[in-house]
Amino acid sequence: MAETGLNRAKEICQDRAVSARELKAGGRKIIGYLDIFPVLEMMTALDLVPYRLLGDINEPITRADTCLPTVVCPFLRSVMDLGLKGKYDFLDGVVMAHGCEVSEKTAHIWRIYLDPPYAHFLDTPHTTHPSARQQFKALLKYFKETLEVFTGKELSTEKLREAIRIHNRQRALVRELYHLRKPDPPLVSGVETVQVLIALASLPVAEGNELLRQVIGEVKQRKNGPPGKPARLMVWGSIIDNTALIDLMESIGANVVMDDTSLGSRAYFPPVEPTDDPLDGLAHRYLVALNSPRTFRETILNKINKKDYLTDLENRFGYLKDYAREWSVNGVILQVLRYCDIHGYEVPGLSDYLDHIGLPGIYLEHDYGKAALAQLRTRVQAFLEIIG
Amino acid sequence: MAYFMGIDIGSGASKGVVTRDGELLACHLLPSGVNYRVAADKLRAALLARTNISAEDVTGTVATGQGAANVLFSHQQVTDIRSCARGINRVFPSVRTVIDVQAQSSQVIRLSESGQVTNFAVSEKCAAGSGRFLEVIANVLRVELEAIGPLSLKSRNPVTFTTGCAVFGESEAISRVAEGNAKEDILAGVHKALADKISVLMERVGLETDCAISGGGGLDVGLIRSVEENLEVELLVPPQPRFVTALGAAIMAEELEKEKD
Amino acid sequence: MAEEKKKRVINRLKTMYPLRALVDGTYEKAIAASREGKPVAWCMVNWWGGDAILRAMDVAAIYPEDYGAVCAAFGAAPAYLASADADGFPTHMCGYARNCLGYAAQMKESGDIPPEAPMGGMPRPTLLLGSGYFCDTRYKWFQSLGRYLDAPVWVLEMPHPGVKESRLKGAREHDISFLVAELEGFISFLERLLGRKVDRDRLTEIIDDTIEMNRVWHEVNELRRAKPCPMHSRDFWSSMPAALYMAADPRVTAGLYREMYDEVKSMADSHLGAIPEEKYRLAFAELPPWHSLGFFNQLAERGWNFVVESWAYHPPKPIDLTRVTNPLERIASLTYQYFTGYFEDAFATGDWWGYFAHPYLELAREYRCDGIMLHPLLTCRTATNHLMVVQDQLMKKLKVPSLIIEGDIVDLNLFDPADALRKAETFEETMSHYRKVRQAAGLAW
Amino acid sequence: MTPGKPLYFAGIDLGSTMTKVAIIGADEQILARVEAHTGAEHRRLANKVMEQALAQANLPFNEIACVVATGYGRINVPFADRQVTELTCHARGIASLFPAARTALDIGGQDAKGLKLKNGKLTDFVMNDKCAAGTGRFLEVTARTLGLKLEELGSLSLKSRNRVKISNTCTVFAQQEVISRLSEGVPLEDIVAGLHEAIASRAVGMLRQLKIEPAVVFTGGVAKNSGVVRAVRENLGGEVLVPDDPLISGAVGAALLGKEFTLKAREKGETVPRKERRLTEATFFG
Ligand SMILES: Nc1ncnc2c1ncn2[C@@H]1O[C@H](COP(=O)(O)OP(=O)(O)O)[C@@H](O)[C@H]1O
Ligand SMILES: Nc1ncnc2c1ncn2[C@@H]1O[C@H](COP(=O)(O)OP(=O)(O)O)[C@@H](O)[C@H]1O
Ligand code: SF4
Ligand code: SF4
Ligand code: SF4
């Protein structure tokens, strides 16, 4: 069988390290990054390969117990565990940001225990105040500086523009892939989409774009796409870096057609807008345009000095209503990893909002482990029965 | 000539030893039953009878274990973590880490060359992390406790338990038998589950060799093998693992006496 | 409160009581202010001057974090926690936050302060002042309060100094001007909200008093290096909120800290300890189990003196600010100092793990600690994240052992006193052992 | 299926402890209800329970228009046409018994569940299925330890004037605590009452994760225990409705859903796909 894009994505996804080691053998320098706040364009522009740090749901967490307590989200503990076990030994450096509080802590703990040749911590303000935007731009300059020192090369504005262009291309292609989930049945399944996303997180951006083109081409053609199912789900919440959870949903009568998580739409949807100084566009995209609950957005006060709850919810979650409409979603899974505060706090508010717009949702808290997932089965199934 | 007594009132069994001049003279074990006070008294009587001495001949007694407070004739109570460290130090001076598997909990203890505790971690209050899990499963499989170790060693195909609860594990074991799984495979599965819990404790305190196992778990070759495989280390097993803690208590009684001088 | 034994083993400072009363009094004052129609703010601990600005604008401030500890101590927390549970807030989240969310839920339901609220309760806020530092809870929590309250939320942002990157050239200056800009941003928000201007002279005065208050409070704590230590952590915890949550006019508070200084000084001079016989000196990290403080009495009976706590609850090390003319820049600099002063040397000695373990190493050395008690919280990552690193580094570098007792600040079901005592008893041996090890290694204590 | 012929529906709830079967007619009258122990050895006998129910209703298996299986063994019932989670089935069964129900607590052998209902339908739920503490298994183990029958626990505990506090949460260790309390001379009823309180406060704590609205219904095997029912009432501080037969609601709900599936399919001119009506044994780890 000729290698299809989807098969290749699946392969990469099964052992992410293979492609990394190949790149390394080809003389490329690989920089691990955590979460969606490290500015990838800067790395790409300097010919570094940004390689996303993910956990492994199949690998029991053991070593990380020595340096990250169990009250840290299991995804991060898994990432740290893989690091300590040498599974990321091909990295030439890491960039971690102040995504959430614990990922910030993980950045330092990683440096203490693994001491990579290059490490940069990118503080990321929590608000979008004008002063915070300025601050973030200044912090990007420092990031640029340490990258230049590390590579011994200058990061020119032209190169940065070019990198922005190619990353924007990837963002557009991911959107296109997501469009293929809009028909009923969707042309591409939730599990396949996650596989592609994991592959993208493991490849240089240009190769990722190639893969995306191939996948989009073949998905449009194919006859054996996912079958129609009564439920069309959107999955919201903490990172999903594996196929297990989505697979569980799709194996019991649902198509997962949309997501709002940090490996999926959240990471790709907003492009970088062109600006005179590309740093402005980058700062705006990563701090303001990226839609993550870790960033606090004030609800603008009008004449009255009172906040209106529904307006606030609309400001924070309105985009989900659009997603639901465009992707014809009839149920939302609010999944939160245990100990994830960022998403945990959102749950009651988001549930209120979903109630308000008449979209059923269910909250699932889980432990990032195969065995634990089995216990979610009954819960997911009951939800499908509720909406069915 | 001074005699010392160490009394370890465990949740399942009460263990006692008598030492003289640092030598182990006698040991005795009986079920703790429901009244720890009675168990302690009986244990003392048995020990005195075995050594042929009277209560007045005993210079010092230290009590330990979860029922230590019920040993009214003791001169001091110490935690079983301390006495276990002292005891293993006497048996194997080279040991720096000891895994103590009792009926109620498992603990991993690091110790110095003089037998002082330098770090420790104790399992949660969940039967799935203690020797009791093994008892429960042995019971439903109708296998004697003594036999579970050797049987488990025969397993080629250990089952994986789908639950982390000793009680649900019990029903799962029953169902597994009804499904035709071999008893040894089920036992090996339990041994693996418990060994995994011990590994977590070990990560917390850090392994330093030599490493030994004590408590009732030290009688179980199946558990020993699972732990050894998990930790990739060879375990030293004392000749009488269940008496290590009581021995440690007697040693502490000796020390107490020396301090007086 | 419930478990407090009759016999008081810990010798409490007389000068602590008025400081504690000051904090307790804020609730009543806020209620009175609210009745008079004056603005009330619910705030997070805001080191960097948000408090001073509120005070200068005559806004009564109360601190739901402190109220969480109050509810825990009064046994009122379980009912509020249950309300938050019922509304779907995951139980692994901050106990203070869930306590407050439950409180607000009940407030919304009854239309007023819940009838059995301790200390008279927290009145309805005019605004919520969240914070971008320490933990995500401190802004997510206030955002979630929108379910129950119509008060607008402002989040005062903070840079993240104390890491390697904040040592890059020009970063400090940049951070401080960011802090100043944030304070100005908050001022204009408040001015818009309240429809009046801030009195800049008054603000300057309050800022200077705040700086002085923190200085005196720092001096008090320096005295605790004395052996035996005259001031136990329990006194620290009772007096800390007055500075941490600007409870009253900082000038008044500074006066009370001065009196405390005198008392502690005279005890130190006459070699009086906070407990009858100081056998072990311990540091404590991070927040205590407010519902079971009686536990420290049991330890005191065994000769355990708690002589110092983690840096995060201590005032910044004093610095000279006389040459900084802009008052907002003065308070911003002090704030910056708070977030860097305790680990300045971490970088100097070639280590760059900043605030993680370094300050604990320094405290252990300076206060001659035999051990540190770590209290990982099941509902707070901030107070827990770094503890394993602390344990590791204290042992590797200073041969100081750590005792880990798991628990929670608010939820008493997560704390097991009997088990804790068993561990503590064992730990005595460990402390004695490492005393000898340190001696052999030529360490001073 | 010939139109005009009377329709019958069966629900089978294969629980961890008890297997329950209900057969209803098109008018939703219950024609048969059978309850039997699931037990490991007996688990394969789900077909026998069905057989008994058919005998009770006096119907050949072929007459059953739709068989819906639920409960934790639902996947392994070979003769069921559909599988539906116990959450949905319980909700449906409870709503048919108590149309006013808004909140339900169900404590079975292996889990405890809280349900929210609206217009007879499930809208939200919580579950504890990780730890045996707080489930019916806790009481089974207790009864075994004390040498009592499960049925006796309830009335015994109602005699208690001074219940003891059980400090161990773990089911296994709690049993040991029970024994030592007994030996201290604590009256049996006070101990049993303490155990009931332990289970009730845990369950109600879980239920509080939902907004509790009246009417509150308590079902599942544990609701047969009057001591736990009392303790649940005390913990909730309000009225709690208990059906006459608290075990059967899941099976009844399953049968009602079978009717719904059948009628819906008919409206569309379709039929619910049927499994062979042959009473074969259930399997375990499917
Ligand atoms: N003969 C044996 N063979 C294997 N395991 C045993 C044997 N005897 C006891 N055990 C194990 O030891 C445990 C009891 O250990 P012990 O140290 O005596 O506990 P405790 O002091 O709490 O009573 C039992 O739960 C069981 O797992
Ligand atoms: N007659 C009875 N009296 C008291 N309790 C009972 C009785 N019958 C069953 N139980 C309790 O009910 C539980 C089983 O409940 P059930 O709802 O059938 O659970 P499952 O669906 O998991 O089998 C048992 O664990 C037992 O505690
Ligand atoms: S899952 Fe939550 S806690 Fe974990 S890294 Fe993501 S935002 Fe942070
Ligand atoms: S630091 Fe911890 S206790 Fe304080 S508000 Fe944040 S989460 Fe809560
Ligand atoms: S999971 Fe099972 S063994 Fe563990 S505490 Fe709960 S009942 Fe006990």
Side-chain angles (χ1 to χ4, degrees):
Chain A
M1 197 168 60
E3 166 130 294
T4 63
L6 283 175
N7 276 342
R8 182 157 145 67
K10 191 170 168 186
E11 253 166 43
I12 296 175
C13 177
Q14 268 156 3
D15 190 354
R16 295 182 67 219
V18 173
S19 52
R21 289 188 205 284
E22 276 168 17
L23 287 163
K24 181 112 180 143
R28 303 286 299 267
K29 280 203 161 43
I30 306 176
I31 307 292
Y33 69 96
L34 191 63
D35 219 323
I36 52 177
F37 296 94
V39 175
L40 306 181
E41 286 85 342
M42 293 198 183
M43 295 181 255
T44 300
L46 283 167
D47 216 22
L48 299 167
V49 181
Y51 184 91
R52 188 152 179 184
L53 295 172
L54 299 177
D56 181 354
I57 196 170
N58 295 311
E59 169 83 33
I61 300 170
T62 51
R63 297 284 306 279
D65 280 335
T66 54
C67 60
L68 267 183
T70 43
V71 297
V72 165
C73 93
F75 159 72
L76 286 173
R77 290 176 59 240
S78 175
V79 172
M80 191 71 219
D81 195 58
L82 297 182
L84 290 169
K85 286 174 177 160
K87 305 229 162 139
Y88 280 120
D89 58 0
F90 49 79
L91 295 178
D92 297 286
V94 293
V95 182
M96 302 198 190
H98 199 153
C100 64
E101 177 209 339
V102 273
S103 66
E104 175 254 313
K105 295 299 188 308
T106 305
H108 312 310
I109 294 176
W110 188 285
R111 298 207 278 205
I112 295 170
Y113 286 90
L114 293 164
D115 200 15
Y118 171 78
H120 189 93
F121 168 71
L122 178 64
D123 187 20
T124 317
H126 297 89
T127 63
T128 56
H129 299 164
S131 48
R133 297 182 196 191
Q134 270 181 14
Q135 169 78 357
F136 190 55
K137 185 179 168 191
L139 292 169
L140 291 189
K141 285 190 189 146
Y142 284 116
F143 179 31
K144 179 169 165 247
E145 224 176 274
T146 66
L147 279 174
E148 287 175 335
V149 171
F150 172 63
T151 54
K153 289 192 261 184
E154 198 205 312
L155 203 170
S156 69
T157 305
E158 284 64 50
K159 278 193 195 156
L160 193 53
R161 284 228 168 82
E162 174 55 22
I164 291 176
R165 204 188 54 73
I166 165 169
H167 276 278
N168 273 349
R169 185 79 210 117
Q170 182 153 94
R171 290 167 189 141
L173 285 166
V174 169
R175 240 184 215 272
E176 203 180 326
L177 180 68
Y178 272 59
H179 282 314
L180 303 177
R181 309 172 79 181
K182 287 179 175 173
D184 193 32
L187 302 182
V188 56
S189 74
V191 168
E192 288 165 339
T193 309
V194 172
Q195 283 165 346
V196 172
L197 292 167
I198 293 175
L200 292 183
S202 326
L203 293 174
V205 60
E207 285 180 37
N209 290 355
E210 255 331 291
L211 178 71
L212 276 166
R213 281 194 198 97
Q214 198 186 351
V215 167
I216 291 170
E218 73 201 32
V219 164
K220 279 183 179 164
Q221 303 290 319
R222 74 167 165 182
K223 301 269 173 314
N224 59 342
K229 290 175 193 164
R232 293 177 58 88
L233 298 180
M234 167 153 72
V235 180
W236 171 93
S238 306
I239 187 168
I240 299 178
D241 64 350
N242 57 79
T243 51
L245 185 62
I246 307 289
D247 193 26
L248 181 138
M249 295 173 197
E250 297 198 321
S251 70
I252 51 179
N255 276 316
V256 176
V257 297
M258 189 49 190
D259 72 71
D260 177 31
T261 64
S262 77
L263 190 78
S265 69
R266 236 183 243 171
Y268 292 96
F269 274 22
V272 177
E273 301 296 340
T275 45
D276 290 343
D277 179 350
L279 285 186
D280 284 315
L282 288 170
H284 184 270
R285 189 231 178 219
Y286 282 89
L287 184 66
V288 184
L290 271 189
N291 224 339
S292 166
R294 61 76 62 197
T295 306
F296 177 82
R297 287 159 220 274
E298 260 101 6
T299 293
I300 308 300
L301 293 174
N302 298 320
K303 280 171 218 92
I304 34 160
N305 293 338
K306 299 256 147 106
K307 183 162 106 180
D308 175 55
Y309 183 44
L310 275 179
T311 313
D312 184 44
L313 292 181
E314 192 65 50
N315 290 345
R316 283 158 59 199
F317 302 120
Y319 67 100
L320 292 174
K321 182 169 67 186
D322 301 337
Y323 287 174
R325 198 183 47 235
E326 286 176 42
W327 275 268
S328 323
V329 165
N330 59 4
V332 183
I333 305 276
L334 290 75
Q335 58 86 30
V336 175
L337 283 171
R338 192 181 314 276
Y339 303 124
C340 170
D341 286 338
I342 290 288
H343 292 95
Y345 279 100
E346 302 291 273
V347 170
L350 180 51
S351 307
D352 288 346
Y353 183 70
L354 294 176
D355 268 356
H356 174 66
I357 62 172
L359 193 60
I362 184 154
Y363 168 57
L364 298 179
E365 184 176 291
H366 61 108
D367 277 326
Y368 195 84
K370 273 259 170 84
L373 281 182
Q375 282 168 327
L376 291 182
R377 202 185 176 86
T378 301
R379 289 166 173 79
V380 174
Q381 202 163 358
F383 176 64
L384 297 181
E385 287 160 7
I386 290 179
I387 66 176
Chain B
M1 233 179 311
Y3 294 89
F4 295 94
M5 200 178 266
I7 304 283
D8 169 17
I9 310 291
S11 70
S14 292
K15 281 84 54 176
V17 305
V18 175
T19 62
R20 186 183 55 193
D21 302 336
E23 291 293 314
L24 179 63
L25 279 192
C27 46
H28 191 75
L29 176 146
L30 46 82
S32 296
V34 291
N35 191 329
Y36 291 161
R37 202 169 290 179
V38 172
D41 291 340
K42 274 202 202 151
L43 192 55
R44 172 164 71 164
L47 285 168
L48 293 176
R50 284 197 175 198
T51 43
N52 224 346
I53 55 175
S54 71
E56 292 72 45
D57 297 332
V58 179
T59 314
T61 302
V62 164
T64 188
Q66 97 161 14
N70 299 286
V71 186
L72 301 182
F73 54 87
S74 73
H75 301 100
Q76 206 190 4
Q77 295 166 29
V78 297
T79 64
D80 52 345
I81 305 170
R82 291 180 68 189
S83 35
C84 177
R86 278 306 194 288
I88 201 73
N89 182 252
R90 175 65 55 95
V91 186
F92 296 125
S94 65
V95 162
R96 292 294 165 272
T97 315
V98 56
I99 300 164
D100 187 37
V101 180
Q102 312 177 2
Q104 186 110 353
S105 67
S106 310
Q107 39 215 17
V108 173
I109 307 164
R110 286 269 301 267
L111 57 139
S112 68
E113 65 276 3
S114 55
Q116 286 185 310
V117 177
T118 60
N119 201 353
F120 59 94
V122 184
S123 68
E124 279 171 51
K125 290 193 162 174
C126 166
S130 75
R132 185 54 53 83
F133 191 14
L134 289 167
E135 290 180 48
V136 167
I137 301 298
N139 187 31
V140 297
L141 297 180
R142 300 208 175 78
V143 177
E144 291 296 322
L145 213 43
E146 293 74 30
I148 61 174
L151 198 55
S152 161
L153 290 183
K154 290 195 197 136
S155 165
R156 334 219 93 235
N157 209 353
V159 306
T160 310
F161 276 82
T162 60
T163 115
C165 170
V167 182
F168 294 153
E170 180 183 357
S171 356
E172 192 169 340
I174 296 172
S175 306
R176 293 279 182 184
V177 171
E179 277 287 276
N181 284 286
K183 286 183 181 179
E184 58 256 37
D185 292 337
I186 296 168
L187 286 170
V190 188
H191 282 136
K192 172 81 175 109
L194 186 52
D196 285 347
K197 300 241 164 162
I198 290 170
S199 296
V200 171
L201 298 177
M202 189 59 88
E203 283 293 338
R204 259 188 251 158
V205 301
L207 174 67
E208 188 186 344
T209 50
D210 293 345
C211 182
I213 184 164
S214 70
L219 293 173
D220 187 338
V221 286
L223 179 65
I224 294 172
R225 184 186 64 170
S226 280
V227 173
E228 286 182 333
E229 280 177 5
N230 262 13
L231 300 175
E232 295 174 10
V233 71
E234 205 169 305
L235 294 181
L236 297 178
V237 185
Q240 288 183 305
R242 290 180 95 179
F243 288 97
V244 168
T245 302
L247 173 65
I251 295 169
M252 293 187 79
E254 289 172 10
E255 285 173 8
L256 213 60
E257 188 58 25
K258 277 195 206 117
E259 271 169 36
K260 277 195 207 150
D261 301 340
Chain C
M1 297 262 131
E3 274 186 47
E4 198 93 357
K5 281 198 180 166
K6 296 263 153 31
K7 198 171 90 192
R8 290 199 176 251
V9 195
I10 303 169
N11 182 10
R12 305 298 302 260
L13 297 173
K14 282 175 211 65
T15 49
M16 171 272 293
Y17 296 98
L19 278 161
R20 188 159 84 182
L22 216 54
V23 181
D24 294 351
T26 50
Y27 297 102
E28 239 170 63
K29 277 194 275 177
I31 290 172
S34 165
R35 288 222 185 86
E36 288 166 29
K38 286 193 187 153
V40 175
W42 287 11
C43 334
M44 291 294 157
V45 180
N46 285 296
W47 260 107
W48 39 100
D51 312 76
I53 294 168
L54 287 170
R55 187 154 277 280
M57 292 281 273
D58 248 331
V59 180
I62 36 177
Y63 298 84
E65 285 160 284
D66 181 61
Y67 199 63
V70 168
C71 290
F74 277 79
Y80 299 140
L81 294 178
S83 284
D85 274 11
D87 283 3
F89 288 97
T91 49
H92 61 73
M93 299 189 327
C94 171
Y96 289 162
R98 286 185 298 124
N99 181 72
C100 175
L101 287 159
Y103 176 88
Q106 294 193 9
M107 191 172 198
K108 185 178 178 191
E109 219 157 274
S110 66
D112 204 349
I113 294 173
E116 266 137 49
M119 301 258 172
M122 296 192 291
R124 197 171 277 286
T126 321
L127 74 139
L128 301 168
L129 178 55
S131 146
Y133 204 84
F134 277 131
C135 68
D136 297 333
T137 294
R138 293 150 58 77
Y139 62 99
K140 296 306 295 179
W141 160 7
F142 276 10
Q143 188 175 42
S144 321
L145 277 172
R147 262 188 131 223
Y148 313 109
L149 303 170
D150 55 11
V153 188
W154 189 261
V155 175
L156 252 185
E157 189 58 286
M158 253 307 284
H160 203 77
V163 295
K164 190 177 132 209
E165 287 70 19
S166 58
R167 314 276 298 176
L168 291 165
K169 205 167 147 268
R172 180 181 190 275
E173 292 66 34
H174 209 97
D175 280 349
I176 290 184
S177 50
F178 173 42
L179 273 163
V180 172
E182 273 294 300
L183 291 173
E184 287 291 1
F186 179 52
I187 291 176
S188 36
F189 163 75
L190 263 188
E191 290 181 341
R192 252 181 295 140
L193 182 75
L194 303 177
R196 51 188 161 83
K197 290 274 169 203
V198 67
D199 175 345
R200 296 268 170 174
D201 291 338
R202 182 137 183 252
L203 179 59
T204 305
E205 225 170 77
I206 293 172
I207 286 177
D208 288 341
D209 289 346
T210 307
I211 295 170
E212 171 62 7
M213 169 183 82
N214 280 307
R215 191 194 64 77
V216 184
W217 180 215
H218 176 77
E219 294 302 322
V220 173
N221 285 296
E222 291 288 293
L223 293 171
R224 297 168 68 196
R225 295 168 191 232
K227 215 168 172 178
C229 170
M231 177 178 172
H232 190 275
S233 289
R234 290 211 47 194
D235 281 329
F236 174 84
W237 291 321
S238 301
S239 353
M240 127 195 127
L244 205 57
Y245 319 115
M246 193 180 284
D249 185 337
R251 196 171 291 178
V252 174
T253 314
L256 294 177
Y257 280 130
R258 244 172 241 121
E259 283 166 26
M260 179 172 265
Y261 180 90
D262 293 340
E263 183 181 4
V264 179
K265 179 91 172 44
S266 82
M267 284 178 74
D269 289 346
S270 37
H271 302 287
L272 283 172
I275 64 168
E277 199 194 346
E278 183 181 278
K279 286 197 207 146
Y280 307 99
R281 294 169 65 87
L282 283 107
F284 189 91
E286 297 279 328
L287 286 163
W290 297 114
H291 41 75
S292 308
L293 290 174
F295 180 60
F296 290 93
N297 273 342
Q298 284 172 288
L299 294 180
E301 275 177 45
R302 306 184 62 92
W304 295 42
N305 202 359
F306 282 82
V307 302
V308 71
E309 310 69 28
S310 56
W311 64 277
Y313 308 93
H314 279 255
K317 290 185 179 174
I319 39 165
D320 181 17
L321 294 167
T322 44
R323 262 178 290 172
V324 184
T325 47
N326 176 358
L328 289 183
E329 192 179 328
R330 270 209 289 284
I331 195 80
S333 305
L334 189 70
T335 303
Y336 194 88
Q337 164 69 1
Y338 167 69
F339 284 107
T340 53
Y342 286 98
F343 20 93
E344 211 64 59
D345 312 344
F347 302 97
T349 56
D351 280 324
W352 46 261
W353 23 269
Y355 62 99
F356 255 67
H358 183 84
Y360 300 88
L361 297 180
E362 215 169 81
L363 290 177
R365 213 182 282 123
E366 287 172 6
Y367 288 79
R368 292 177 278 178
C369 295
D370 295 298
I372 181 166
M373 178 163 159
L374 309 176
H375 185 219
L377 304 178
L378 293 167
T379 67
C380 168
R381 276 140 283 290
T382 314
T384 310
N385 278 316
H386 54 298
L387 294 181
M388 306 180 88
V389 180
V390 170
Q391 176 183 25
D392 189 35
Q393 302 283 337
L394 275 174
M395 181 47 70
K396 277 198 189 128
K397 309 224 155 150
L398 294 180
K399 302 291 171 210
V400 171
S402 309
L403 171 65
I404 302 178
I405 306 267
E406 277 165 3
D408 191 50
I409 34 181
V410 177
D411 194 343
L412 86 163
N413 290 326
L414 300 174
F415 179 74
D416 181 345
D419 189 53
L421 211 56
R422 169 166 171 252
K423 288 181 178 159
E425 204 187 312
T426 307
F427 189 63
E428 289 175 359
E429 180 166 301
T430 305
M431 288 193 284
S432 313
H433 170 75
Y434 280 104
R435 233 178 234 167
K436 281 181 249 149
V437 173
R438 282 195 302 274
Q439 253 161 27
L443 289 157
W445 73 106
Chain D
M1 228 181 312
T2 29
K5 224 174 141 193
L7 290 174
Y8 302 99
F9 309 94
I12 175 162
D13 177 359
L14 192 55
S16 64
T17 315
M18 305 289 286
T19 298
K20 287 94 29 178
V21 174
I23 298 178
I24 62 167
D27 55 358
E28 304 193 356
Q29 285 293 334
I30 298 176
L31 305 175
R33 58 171 97 179
V34 179
E35 291 156 12
H37 278 277
T38 304
E41 291 84 1
H42 307 133
R43 188 147 158 207
R44 288 170 195 251
L45 305 182
N47 50 334
K48 292 276 184 303
V49 187
M50 179 58 88
E51 206 171 295
Q52 281 172 35
L54 290 166
Q56 210 182 79
N58 200 9
L59 286 168
F61 200 13
N62 221 5
E63 292 279 298
I64 306 291
C66 186
V67 182
V68 173
T70 187
Y72 115 114
R74 65 181 178 278
I75 315 154
N76 312 318
V77 181
F79 49 81
D81 304 325
R82 288 270 212 136
Q83 281 90 26
V84 179
T85 62
E86 51 272 36
L87 293 148
T88 301
C89 291
H90 276 294
R92 178 55 60 92
I94 289 165
S96 80
L97 294 168
F98 299 102
R102 290 286 168 276
T103 313
L105 174 65
D106 180 280
I107 312 182
Q110 186 139 317
D111 61 19
K113 307 183 259 289
L115 312 172
K116 281 306 291 280
L117 303 100
K118 206 171 167 182
N119 304 328
K121 289 212 160 151
L122 181 66
T123 58
D124 201 0
F125 56 84
V126 281
M127 254 177 116
N128 159 39
D129 53 5
K130 286 192 184 143
C131 169
T135 69
R137 186 58 49 83
F138 184 74
L139 294 174
E140 287 175 48
V141 179
T142 305
R144 195 168 71 195
T145 309
L146 296 173
L148 293 170
K149 288 209 191 78
L150 257 180
E151 296 76 27
E152 296 172 327
L153 293 179
S155 50
L156 183 66
S157 75
L158 293 182
K159 290 192 204 132
S160 163
R161 329 221 103 243
N162 198 4
R163 73 167 180 240
V164 296
K165 186 165 164 42
I166 303 295
S167 54
N168 278 293
T169 344
C170 178
T171 307
V172 179
F173 298 145
Q175 302 314 312
Q176 203 165 357
E177 192 176 345
V178 164
I179 296 171
S180 56
R181 282 307 163 86
L182 264 182
S183 76
E184 283 164 18
V186 177
L188 192 56
E189 60 264 28
D190 291 347
I191 296 173
V192 177
L195 290 161
H196 289 163
E197 168 60 21
I199 201 170
S201 65
R202 236 182 120 96
V204 170
M206 177 200 69
L207 193 63
R208 283 196 199 285
Q209 289 174 33
L210 302 169
K211 237 191 170 71
I212 301 174
E213 291 170 292
V216 183
V217 178
F218 180 17
T219 61
V222 175
K224 283 188 143 182
N225 180 320
S226 50
V228 181
V229 172
R230 182 178 73 167
V232 166
R233 278 203 182 107
E234 281 171 11
N235 272 279
L236 278 172
E239 189 43 42
V240 176
L241 304 170
V242 181
D244 297 335
D245 184 355
L247 273 177
I248 205 75
S249 52
V252 170
L256 286 169
L257 282 164
K259 178 184 161 193
E260 194 177 295
F261 295 146
T262 309
L263 296 187
K264 260 200 196 145
R266 282 199 161 186
E267 267 172 36
K268 292 196 215 159
E270 297 165 357
T271 50
V272 180
R274 263 171 75 137
K275 288 276 165 56
E276 202 184 334
R277 289 285 176 263
R278 208 164 51 120
L279 290 167
T280 36
E281 290 177 353
T283 52
F284 294 109
F285 298 95

